[in-house]
Amino acid sequence: NARSLQLLQLFTAGSDIYAADGVLPQGVLLANATGSYGLAISEYMVGVLLSLNKKLHLYRDQQHQSRWQSLGEVRSIWNSTVLVIGLGDIGSEFAKRVKAFGAKVIGVRRAGLDKPNYVDELYLSDKIDELLPLADTVALCLPQTAQTQGLMDAERIAKMKPGAVLINIGRGSAVDADALCDALDAGKLSGAALDVTIPEPLPADSRLWQTQNLVLTPHVSGGSSL
């Protein structure tokens, strides 16, 4: 209804719902906030990865139960393999940080094989199926497109390395939530972190709320004091 609108500046990186046919009047310039969230979201991703690897989320649960009990072996980012799917601003910043922790970083992007120095190996998206079994951590840093919807379905989750961690900060549509819950319940994956879901807000009856070893946040990873 904003017939005089000439420019819409978003404070989000994602612009898909505004770019759809018929949403904006003809000729309106649409600008997103790509490049503004790499710092905040990459730090969130490191935080949830450390929490899952060190079982901090489970110890937090035990704290509320007044339980003093070791939960056994933990994992390290050092010497692990991290697969970053989507090497835009957010994916690149996360890759830099886990590289600094001593991880082997494999990057995946849609086009271009000019490898940055914070990535050990770089591939195009047609290699995802071959790379999933190699990764201790799979990080999805993707916009919503026709190609990313349903990217991590049951078949692809089954290809992940046993005990791997899945992190999604892009769009909830990239992950089959039921398949993820099945993999976590079965112990196929050791953990997952989701800052995005389908739908949002997440309904109270969703399986995601009660699934063990899942860190779930309400699309807040881009929050920053800067």
Side-chain angles (χ1 to χ4, degrees), residues 87-168:
L87 273 183
D89 175 52
I90 296 168
S92 295
E93 291 299 322
F94 178 63
K96 293 174 186 176
R97 282 157 178 75
V98 290
K99 179 71 172 172
F101 270 88
K104 175 183 178 180
V105 181
I106 302 175
V108 172
R109 60 164 53 130
R110 287 176 297 175
L113 290 173
D114 185 12
K115 185 179 75 65
N117 59 11
Y118 49 82
V119 169
D120 296 290
E121 298 177 15
L122 180 64
Y123 300 91
L124 299 182
S125 53
D126 61 349
K127 299 295 184 183
I128 289 176
D129 290 336
E130 300 172 32
L131 298 171
L132 287 173
L134 308 178
D136 299 291
T137 301
V138 176
L140 303 180
C141 309
L142 297 165
Q144 181 161 303
T145 68
Q147 291 71 38
T148 62
Q149 290 190 32
L151 179 73
M152 294 302 294
D153 55 13
E155 183 177 354
R156 282 218 168 96
I157 290 174
K159 291 179 180 178
M160 291 177 63
K161 185 176 181 178
V165 168
L166 177 65
I167 301 173
N168 184 23

